[in-house]
Amino acid sequence: MVVQPQQEGSSVSNPVKRIRWATQRVKGLNESRIRHGIIDRLHHRRTGSSEKKRPSAEGSHLDRIREEQELSEDGDQHGLGRRRIFFNVPLPDDAKDSEGRPLARYGRNKIRTAKYTPLSFVPKNLWFQFHNVANIYFLFVIILGIFQIFGNPNPALSSVPLIVILFLTAVKDGIEDWRRTVLDNELNNAPVRRLVNWDNVNSSEDSVSPWRKFKKATTQVILQAYRMWKRRAEKKPARGKTYAQRALDEGRLSTDTRQANRDSIFSTKSPNTEDDIQMTPVPSPQPGQAQQDSVPHPLADERPGTSLSYEEDTLDPSMTQRDRLDKAPAKFYGSIINPFKQTTGKATFKKEQWKSIQVGDFVRIYNEDQIPADVVILSTSDPDGACYVETKNLDGETNLKVRHALHCGRKLKHAEDCEQTEFMIESEPPHVNLYQYSGAARWTQRDPRKPAKSGREMAEPITINNLLLRGCSLKNTNWVLGVVVYTGGETKIMLNAGVTPSKRSRISRELNWDVIYNFIILFFMCLVAGIGQGTAWAKDNQSSDIFEFGSTAGKPSLDGFVTFWSAVILLQNLVPISLYISLEIIKTAQAFFIYSDTFMYYDKIDYPCTPKSWNISDDVGQIEYIFSDKTGTLTQNVMEFKKCTINGVPYGEAYTEAQAGMQRRQGVDTEVEGAKAHKQIAQDRNKMLQDLRKMHDNPYLHDDELTFVAPYFVQDLAGASGLEQQKATEEFMLALALCHTVITERTPGEPPKIEFKAQSPDEAALVATARDCGFTVLGRSNDSIILNVLGSEREYTVLNTLEFNSSRKRMSAVMRMPDGRIMLFCKGADSVIYSRLKPGEQQQLRKTTGEHLEMFAREGLRTLCIAQKEINEDEYRVWNRQHDLAAAAIVDREEKLEAVSDAIERELTLIGGTAIEDRLQDGVPDTIALLGDAGIKLWVLTGDKVETAINIGFSCNLLNNDMDLIVLKIKDGQSQTAKAELEAHLKSFGLTGSDEELQAARKNHTPPAPTHAIVIDGDSLALVLEDQLRQKFLLLCKQCKSVLCCRVSPSQKAAVVRMVKNGLDVMTLSVGDGANDVAMIQEADVGVGIAGEEGRQAVMSSDYAIGQFRFLQRLILVHGRWSYRRLGESIANFFYKNIVWTFALFWYQIYNNFDITYLFDYTYILLVNLAFTSLPVIFMGILDQDVSDKVSLAVPQLYRRGIERKEWTQVKFWTYMFDGVYQSVICYFMGHLLFRPANFVTSNGLSVNDRSRIGVYIASATIVVVNLYVLMNTYRWDWLMVLLVAISILLIWFWTGIYTAFSSSLGFYKAAPQVYGQLSFWVMTLLTVAICLLPRFAAKAAQKIFRPRDVDIVREQVEQGKFKYLDQYEAYVPPSKMFSATSSDLSDTAKPDLKSHRDLADDERPIYPPSVANTGTSYNPRSQTGSDGTEYTGHRLSLEQPHRPSLDRPRPSFERMRDSMDRIRASFEASNDFTSAALLTRIESSHSQTPTRRTLPGNSSLR
């Protein structure tokens, strides 16, 4: 924000620059603590970026605003780590070391998100891979095998499996890291215009070490080789990529999602030139021309000692308002250009690379360029000093933001100007807050007319609105000239990178224990072998004494020790090293199928469902709780202005989804009523368009874009209801057209088109409605807004813009009207505006407007209040002086500005209110109903108003009329009150909140009955989340079908997710679309981001990104369920096959004294997991389906096995393990018994009973058994799965035939024809397979016949053709008919309580909600008298039909809504948070009665 000075004695003031809407964030309570922690890490850990710390001092207090002189010039008082950057000014002594070099060491602008370099890849990747315990184990086994004493027949061959796995993993890691490296290099080498041939005193020349030179040379050689290979291999692909094609390339971190802009940099790369590139057509100064001509000339000798400088002209008090406006003095901001400085003239802007930029450099940025570092704006191509940036890469928001140049730098145009500057920037240290920056530019102002006179010190504050952040893109601006304050890792985008936590799936976490169990089994098997071998050698008089040449180690104890480790080598396959790589393959394929699902592709924004985390797909199949944001997640976040109330008169016709839901609960046929309403609205729309064209042929009105349908508004605007109402409607539309910060975009044509780019879709909707009604914002010029008001063009000067934030809940604009008056227009939450109205006035208007806002809110509309105030010159001059000083503060600037803004926003005059609709996304009700049928509980966590959330809840099937709504509103903010209320509600369920009940709740996954729902606001939620109440609140929520948490902050959202996830030990999923949802997305087990209208920050931090909420049904119920079931079955079969193989080897050791003789050829042991049995298990995890996707959606109850975690349990693990042990016994002893008589010979008289050929008998049968077992456990027997099983079985025969055909196989030579030619081989194999699989087959048959699971029944129904009707749909479940209550239905539903509420306080009465959350005023809304002065809410039965005065003309929508509201007055939304009309009238202008703002204890801001 740019600071405006205030001239003494002036009665007219000029404008302050506007600042952006809804992007200022209120600093959290622990922000400074977090910031200091980050700075400590920066100073202690970051190499090459050390800055000398200076002692801190206390900042200014909020209750006293001081001038800039309160801060010392040396900057020591500016806080921990505050940096000073000097431009064309020699470094002071305290900023230099003993050798004269700068003390401050700033990091390079080169960034590296990649893990590896060409030199470090091999050692570093191996280091990371050997963090895996299984890899360390197998490396250890290989090392053991090198020593011949352990009996490994081929140590080199035994390393092949580990080498293959390490190689494949390294290739995968290398490809991923190479992609990041390419992006890093493109970004680091991107072009930027940097000022050269001048002295940047803030940095010294880097001394490049020989090692760094060697690394750079190696990298260049590898890059050149790769580029040459790439050019020869293929043609260069097209540069353009769709968003969908880029989706898989985008990482989860913001630094990995900038590919599009990086590509664009290179696609527009031009040849490097050494010459200075002219910025604008403005000619450069000629030699000898005085530079000071471009510097404003001071008009007085004496001026204030700050940047608050003024012309000294005084105005005659007798002047008229228009005369004063015409003679308004200009403010003098000063200039950082020193007109007397001698320059070399050699400085020029040269195209260089981003990585060359240093702190203190001047840079020039052109339209569509990315910002290379964090840059303070000195000047722009706009004469107003404005520029526009897109921050999509930074915070995900796609709307353009306005940034402004410093006033003192706007004269800079050329390189010569930069060389002639002399100034210093005092900057706060780097921190992660994207929405806050405090700094100041300081310089000595010289008078060009008086060279001999010494200058005076001046300063101008620097805020976030003067800063361009790295990663943003410059838009709609020809050029920007600025100076660099943060580079590389100290920029805000890099400080925010890497915050996304790493997530591991639940199965992966549990898998570690199963691997440990296998280690334990292996240990005991090896221990038995060692003891057995040692015992055997310890015996005397054995045949081994005659036939053996002595033991290996020479003594029994050492024999046992050697045998133990030999057994480790032999039985190594028991620990499944290939399991990990197999799971990586399975999960990667699952992620690819999710990405390729065209039914989750959102064509409107060209976005598929994009997995960001590929390793948690199985978690998506176990979700029990979903936490969802409302705005932009359940709704479209496309705002449409529907209704308003002006001077007590309601306007607008609409039939909203919430209104239809309300009527449906009353038994109204909504189809008939909706058709009637839409027909009436269509007629009114045509009439309004005709009247608008008749009154003013507005060229900017497009019929198809009109959302505000109110023909009577046009008549009143034309004066049909008198001058008073006509004036009120004009003032209302003026307020909408002036109180904003939108950017206008004009599209030429016939007719022309004007669109508005706003940071809030609500704001764009308000300005667009003003345009449609004839109050068109044409644009801005020199701090003015140009309006076309019903055909006449007017200019309104913006004096101040007081921005919206979550604590203020309002936004104001101070304007100078064309007639010279100063007006303040304010829009904000109704309770906030009501608390600032002029006391004792507009009582009837407040009451009427409150009623209208209440009805609008019941229709699910988002409401705002509009007010105004006329300010006299003297009052404004005094206030503006305080505002300028607050804006000039470096310490606590935001708090001071908020305090000053609050002072002027008092004694307002109410104009009216607005109502905007945010419609539900397509398919939301059906999706929620489907997820509910699957047993998933959905909670809504939103910062929106309570009543709006409730109405949306009814519209999207979260709530229904049969539910008893529990409203938790702790009025006094005390924990004891909250405890008592929780215990009272728990008692109704027969609970007390004990630990035993919590343990029972953790085991109970049954969905609660749809009889109760909870609504709680942010203040009450803060209480119940305390340690002593959290468990009781959690158990209460466990009994409720739906939970709505309203007015909650991002941290509270994350706290709720954490409470449920850890408290109930369940799998959670969070879904949101905005930056305020990132915390809960990262906290949940699975985070889903919706790529909506507001940008991509939620997507960047998510695990899965989707285009619409409705795609959750396929992601969870189809892909999630498939992935979980497939993975659970694959892992179990993987352990099973290793057990069969390993124990078959172990049984053989019993008959040879455990001497670890290899029954199978060593190649079999190496290939069993790599080739013979891997494909069926892997493809089971990739392709298996129990039912199709259509059936999965048609029968969502199938998902409940995932909620109950029945597809992967310890029981299942041990069942498969014991089954494997049984089958290993059969596989070995069938061969053992076949050869036991020792009289078996072949037809040619030769025997095949040697060890290696017996191994062929047993190994072949074992491989057949294992693969057929996997096939038996597979649901989908298609040609591919059968083919893979057949190939795996045939592969062992093929390998045996090929390998034994060569004499290099030694004793195994010719084993294949000798064994396969025996009938006994085939008979034994057939019998072994039958005996092994018979128990499993019998158990599965008995289970499916006598105890069938849900999926078994559904599969039978599929075979019977009961789901044939799904063939007419494209993988989509036909939506169920919406519930339409009849009169008989209504009689059966729960009746509302008809008892009188006369004895209840108004804030306890069960009313249907209207509008805002609790604030400092609405938290205790009672006035001194305790009377609301209205019969609307009190003094009658709630269901009693009130008497209404007739209106002069019919208003169908208004009457329809008012009638609905009265009939359901005895509803269940009893909460102090529901700001009813009566409560609004009792606020009694509390903020206008006191000079300072009140804040009640425990009152949290709007989140």
Side-chain angles (χ1 to χ4, degrees), residues 286-308:
Q286 300 299 323
Q289 181 179 348
Q291 283 284 345
Q292 59 266 31
D293 290 345
S294 62
V295 181
H297 291 226
L299 300 178
D301 294 338
E302 300 298 331
R303 303 188 183 278
T306 71
S307 63
L308 310 179

PDB file of all heavy atoms in Angstrom, residues 286-308:
ATOM      1  N   GLN A 286      19.020  13.142 -23.701  1.00  0.00           N
ATOM      2  CA  GLN A 286      20.141  13.393 -24.582  1.00  0.00           C
ATOM      3  C   GLN A 286      21.364  13.802 -23.770  1.00  0.00           C
ATOM      4  O   GLN A 286      21.248  14.262 -22.645  1.00  0.00           O
ATOM      5  CB  GLN A 286      19.781  14.501 -25.589  1.00  0.00           C
ATOM      6  CG  GLN A 286      18.598  14.146 -26.462  1.00  0.00           C
ATOM      7  CD  GLN A 286      18.862  12.912 -27.309  1.00  0.00           C
ATOM      8  OE1 GLN A 286      19.975  12.722 -27.786  1.00  0.00           O
ATOM      9  NE2 GLN A 286      17.856  12.075 -27.482  1.00  0.00           N
ATOM     10  N   PRO A 287      22.538  13.637 -24.311  1.00  0.00           N
ATOM     11  CA  PRO A 287      23.744  14.062 -23.592  1.00  0.00           C
ATOM     12  C   PRO A 287      23.674  15.541 -23.237  1.00  0.00           C
ATOM     13  O   PRO A 287      23.343  16.384 -24.062  1.00  0.00           O
ATOM     14  CB  PRO A 287      24.863  13.762 -24.596  1.00  0.00           C
ATOM     15  CG  PRO A 287      24.313  12.699 -25.472  1.00  0.00           C
ATOM     16  CD  PRO A 287      22.858  12.957 -25.573  1.00  0.00           C
ATOM     17  N   GLY A 288      23.956  15.796 -22.018  1.00  0.00           N
ATOM     18  CA  GLY A 288      23.919  17.164 -21.537  1.00  0.00           C
ATOM     19  C   GLY A 288      22.582  17.628 -21.046  1.00  0.00           C
ATOM     20  O   GLY A 288      22.461  18.696 -20.441  1.00  0.00           O
ATOM     21  N   GLN A 289      21.550  16.847 -21.312  1.00  0.00           N
ATOM     22  CA  GLN A 289      20.228  17.226 -20.838  1.00  0.00           C
ATOM     23  C   GLN A 289      20.143  17.015 -19.342  1.00  0.00           C
ATOM     24  O   GLN A 289      20.618  16.030 -18.816  1.00  0.00           O
ATOM     25  CB  GLN A 289      19.155  16.393 -21.545  1.00  0.00           C
ATOM     26  CG  GLN A 289      17.737  16.752 -21.101  1.00  0.00           C
ATOM     27  CD  GLN A 289      16.713  15.929 -21.852  1.00  0.00           C
ATOM     28  OE1 GLN A 289      17.061  15.295 -22.822  1.00  0.00           O
ATOM     29  NE2 GLN A 289      15.485  15.972 -21.419  1.00  0.00           N
ATOM     30  N   ALA A 290      19.529  17.952 -18.653  1.00  0.00           N
ATOM     31  CA  ALA A 290      19.447  17.874 -17.192  1.00  0.00           C
ATOM     32  C   ALA A 290      18.524  16.745 -16.789  1.00  0.00           C
ATOM     33  O   ALA A 290      17.387  16.686 -17.217  1.00  0.00           O
ATOM     34  CB  ALA A 290      18.970  19.201 -16.618  1.00  0.00           C
ATOM     35  N   GLN A 291      19.045  15.874 -15.969  1.00  0.00           N
ATOM     36  CA  GLN A 291      18.222  14.783 -15.480  1.00  0.00           C
ATOM     37  C   GLN A 291      17.148  15.275 -14.545  1.00  0.00           C
ATOM     38  O   GLN A 291      16.111  14.651 -14.411  1.00  0.00           O
ATOM     39  CB  GLN A 291      19.098  13.761 -14.753  1.00  0.00           C
ATOM     40  CG  GLN A 291      19.886  12.852 -15.647  1.00  0.00           C
ATOM     41  CD  GLN A 291      19.031  11.783 -16.269  1.00  0.00           C
ATOM     42  OE1 GLN A 291      17.917  11.547 -15.831  1.00  0.00           O
ATOM     43  NE2 GLN A 291      19.518  11.161 -17.323  1.00  0.00           N
ATOM     44  N   GLN A 292      17.384  16.398 -13.909  1.00  0.00           N
ATOM     45  CA  GLN A 292      16.425  16.814 -12.904  1.00  0.00           C
ATOM     46  C   GLN A 292      15.105  17.270 -13.499  1.00  0.00           C
ATOM     47  O   GLN A 292      14.148  17.537 -12.787  1.00  0.00           O
ATOM     48  CB  GLN A 292      17.013  17.936 -12.033  1.00  0.00           C
ATOM     49  CG  GLN A 292      17.433  19.173 -12.800  1.00  0.00           C
ATOM     50  CD  GLN A 292      18.926  19.143 -13.170  1.00  0.00           C
ATOM     51  OE1 GLN A 292      19.460  18.062 -13.365  1.00  0.00           O
ATOM     52  NE2 GLN A 292      19.569  20.286 -13.244  1.00  0.00           N
ATOM     53  N   ASP A 293      15.032  17.385 -14.827  1.00  0.00           N
ATOM     54  CA  ASP A 293      13.764  17.790 -15.417  1.00  0.00           C
ATOM     55  C   ASP A 293      12.664  16.792 -15.109  1.00  0.00           C
ATOM     56  O   ASP A 293      11.492  17.143 -15.099  1.00  0.00           O
ATOM     57  CB  ASP A 293      13.922  17.940 -16.939  1.00  0.00           C
ATOM     58  CG  ASP A 293      14.778  19.147 -17.294  1.00  0.00           C
ATOM     59  OD1 ASP A 293      15.004  20.009 -16.394  1.00  0.00           O
ATOM     60  OD2 ASP A 293      15.210  19.217 -18.446  1.00  0.00           O
ATOM     61  N   SER A 294      13.074  15.559 -14.911  1.00  0.00           N
ATOM     62  CA  SER A 294      12.065  14.533 -14.642  1.00  0.00           C
ATOM     63  C   SER A 294      11.718  14.434 -13.179  1.00  0.00           C
ATOM     64  O   SER A 294      10.881  13.651 -12.800  1.00  0.00           O
ATOM     65  CB  SER A 294      12.563  13.164 -15.137  1.00  0.00           C
ATOM     66  OG  SER A 294      13.722  12.808 -14.430  1.00  0.00           O
ATOM     67  N   VAL A 295      12.382  15.257 -12.355  1.00  0.00           N
ATOM     68  CA  VAL A 295      12.136  15.184 -10.925  1.00  0.00           C
ATOM     69  C   VAL A 295      11.202  16.314 -10.524  1.00  0.00           C
ATOM     70  O   VAL A 295      11.389  17.461 -10.924  1.00  0.00           O
ATOM     71  CB  VAL A 295      13.458  15.296 -10.134  1.00  0.00           C
ATOM     72  CG1 VAL A 295      13.206  15.201  -8.656  1.00  0.00           C
ATOM     73  CG2 VAL A 295      14.423  14.220 -10.614  1.00  0.00           C
ATOM     74  N   PRO A 296      10.144  16.068  -9.751  1.00  0.00           N
ATOM     75  CA  PRO A 296       9.247  17.143  -9.331  1.00  0.00           C
ATOM     76  C   PRO A 296       9.983  18.166  -8.490  1.00  0.00           C
ATOM     77  O   PRO A 296      10.814  17.837  -7.670  1.00  0.00           O
ATOM     78  CB  PRO A 296       8.166  16.402  -8.524  1.00  0.00           C
ATOM     79  CG  PRO A 296       8.769  15.100  -8.177  1.00  0.00           C
ATOM     80  CD  PRO A 296       9.752  14.765  -9.232  1.00  0.00           C
ATOM     81  N   HIS A 297       9.654  19.424  -8.702  1.00  0.00           N
ATOM     82  CA  HIS A 297      10.332  20.508  -8.000  1.00  0.00           C
ATOM     83  C   HIS A 297       9.585  20.850  -6.732  1.00  0.00           C
ATOM     84  O   HIS A 297       8.417  21.200  -6.769  1.00  0.00           O
ATOM     85  CB  HIS A 297      10.396  21.756  -8.902  1.00  0.00           C
ATOM     86  CG  HIS A 297      11.299  21.578 -10.072  1.00  0.00           C
ATOM     87  ND1 HIS A 297      12.216  22.518 -10.464  1.00  0.00           N
ATOM     88  CD2 HIS A 297      11.442  20.552 -10.943  1.00  0.00           C
ATOM     89  CE1 HIS A 297      12.870  22.093 -11.535  1.00  0.00           C
ATOM     90  NE2 HIS A 297      12.403  20.902 -11.846  1.00  0.00           N
ATOM     91  N   PRO A 298      10.266  20.815  -5.614  1.00  0.00           N
ATOM     92  CA  PRO A 298       9.622  21.263  -4.386  1.00  0.00           C
ATOM     93  C   PRO A 298       9.302  22.750  -4.476  1.00  0.00           C
ATOM     94  O   PRO A 298      10.015  23.522  -5.110  1.00  0.00           O
ATOM     95  CB  PRO A 298      10.663  20.972  -3.308  1.00  0.00           C
ATOM     96  CG  PRO A 298      11.592  19.969  -3.924  1.00  0.00           C
ATOM     97  CD  PRO A 298      11.605  20.263  -5.371  1.00  0.00           C
ATOM     98  N   LEU A 299       8.227  23.135  -3.819  1.00  0.00           N
ATOM     99  CA  LEU A 299       7.753  24.508  -3.881  1.00  0.00           C
ATOM    100  C   LEU A 299       8.020  25.286  -2.610  1.00  0.00           C
ATOM    101  O   LEU A 299       7.676  26.450  -2.536  1.00  0.00           O
ATOM    102  CB  LEU A 299       6.248  24.522  -4.179  1.00  0.00           C
ATOM    103  CG  LEU A 299       5.853  23.864  -5.516  1.00  0.00           C
ATOM    104  CD1 LEU A 299       4.360  23.908  -5.671  1.00  0.00           C
ATOM    105  CD2 LEU A 299       6.545  24.518  -6.688  1.00  0.00           C
ATOM    106  N   ALA A 300       8.591  24.704  -1.600  1.00  0.00           N
ATOM    107  CA  ALA A 300       8.794  25.406  -0.347  1.00  0.00           C
ATOM    108  C   ALA A 300      10.134  25.032   0.227  1.00  0.00           C
ATOM    109  O   ALA A 300      10.690  23.988  -0.057  1.00  0.00           O
ATOM    110  CB  ALA A 300       7.681  25.084   0.651  1.00  0.00           C
ATOM    111  N   ASP A 301      10.645  25.924   1.044  1.00  0.00           N
ATOM    112  CA  ASP A 301      11.934  25.663   1.675  1.00  0.00           C
ATOM    113  C   ASP A 301      11.810  24.691   2.823  1.00  0.00           C
ATOM    114  O   ASP A 301      12.663  23.852   3.027  1.00  0.00           O
ATOM    115  CB  ASP A 301      12.539  26.987   2.176  1.00  0.00           C
ATOM    116  CG  ASP A 301      12.882  27.905   1.008  1.00  0.00           C
ATOM    117  OD1 ASP A 301      13.056  27.380  -0.108  1.00  0.00           O
ATOM    118  OD2 ASP A 301      12.950  29.128   1.239  1.00  0.00           O
ATOM    119  N   GLU A 302      10.790  24.840   3.600  1.00  0.00           N
ATOM    120  CA  GLU A 302      10.646  24.000   4.780  1.00  0.00           C
ATOM    121  C   GLU A 302       9.581  22.941   4.536  1.00  0.00           C
ATOM    122  O   GLU A 302       8.475  23.268   4.116  1.00  0.00           O
ATOM    123  CB  GLU A 302      10.251  24.862   5.990  1.00  0.00           C
ATOM    124  CG  GLU A 302      11.273  25.928   6.323  1.00  0.00           C
ATOM    125  CD  GLU A 302      12.616  25.320   6.711  1.00  0.00           C
ATOM    126  OE1 GLU A 302      12.605  24.192   7.248  1.00  0.00           O
ATOM    127  OE2 GLU A 302      13.643  25.961   6.479  1.00  0.00           O
ATOM    128  N   ARG A 303       9.902  21.714   4.835  1.00  0.00           N
ATOM    129  CA  ARG A 303       8.956  20.622   4.637  1.00  0.00           C
ATOM    130  C   ARG A 303       9.066  19.649   5.799  1.00  0.00           C
ATOM    131  O   ARG A 303      10.059  19.655   6.515  1.00  0.00           O
ATOM    132  CB  ARG A 303       9.242  19.891   3.323  1.00  0.00           C
ATOM    133  CG  ARG A 303       9.197  20.826   2.116  1.00  0.00           C
ATOM    134  CD  ARG A 303       9.293  20.074   0.815  1.00  0.00           C
ATOM    135  NE  ARG A 303       9.319  20.983  -0.313  1.00  0.00           N
ATOM    136  CZ  ARG A 303       8.229  21.511  -0.833  1.00  0.00           C
ATOM    137  NH1 ARG A 303       7.051  21.220  -0.347  1.00  0.00           N
ATOM    138  NH2 ARG A 303       8.305  22.332  -1.845  1.00  0.00           N
ATOM    139  N   PRO A 304       8.061  18.837   5.973  1.00  0.00           N
ATOM    140  CA  PRO A 304       8.152  17.844   7.045  1.00  0.00           C
ATOM    141  C   PRO A 304       9.356  16.939   6.836  1.00  0.00           C
ATOM    142  O   PRO A 304       9.820  16.729   5.725  1.00  0.00           O
ATOM    143  CB  PRO A 304       6.834  17.070   6.922  1.00  0.00           C
ATOM    144  CG  PRO A 304       5.934  17.989   6.164  1.00  0.00           C
ATOM    145  CD  PRO A 304       6.800  18.799   5.270  1.00  0.00           C
ATOM    146  N   GLY A 305       9.825  16.383   7.934  1.00  0.00           N
ATOM    147  CA  GLY A 305      11.006  15.527   7.880  1.00  0.00           C
ATOM    148  C   GLY A 305      10.720  14.101   7.532  1.00  0.00           C
ATOM    149  O   GLY A 305      11.508  13.232   7.838  1.00  0.00           O
ATOM    150  N   THR A 306       9.579  13.828   6.943  1.00  0.00           N
ATOM    151  CA  THR A 306       9.261  12.478   6.495  1.00  0.00           C
ATOM    152  C   THR A 306       8.834  12.542   5.055  1.00  0.00           C
ATOM    153  O   THR A 306       8.907  13.591   4.405  1.00  0.00           O
ATOM    154  CB  THR A 306       8.114  11.887   7.335  1.00  0.00           C
ATOM    155  OG1 THR A 306       6.906  12.577   6.989  1.00  0.00           O
ATOM    156  CG2 THR A 306       8.369  12.046   8.811  1.00  0.00           C
ATOM    157  N   SER A 307       8.388  11.391   4.552  1.00  0.00           N
ATOM    158  CA  SER A 307       7.899  11.375   3.175  1.00  0.00           C
ATOM    159  C   SER A 307       6.552  12.054   3.047  1.00  0.00           C
ATOM    160  O   SER A 307       6.040  12.210   1.951  1.00  0.00           O
ATOM    161  CB  SER A 307       7.776   9.932   2.687  1.00  0.00           C
ATOM    162  OG  SER A 307       6.821   9.257   3.452  1.00  0.00           O
ATOM    163  N   LEU A 308       5.959  12.479   4.151  1.00  0.00           N
ATOM    164  CA  LEU A 308       4.651  13.114   4.106  1.00  0.00           C
ATOM    165  C   LEU A 308       4.838  14.583   3.768  1.00  0.00           C
ATOM    166  O   LEU A 308       4.808  15.465   4.622  1.00  0.00           O
ATOM    167  CB  LEU A 308       3.942  12.948   5.447  1.00  0.00           C
ATOM    168  CG  LEU A 308       3.918  11.513   5.967  1.00  0.00           C
ATOM    169  CD1 LEU A 308       3.222  11.471   7.306  1.00  0.00           C
ATOM    170  CD2 LEU A 308       3.243  10.601   4.976  1.00  0.00           C
TER     171      LEU A 308
END
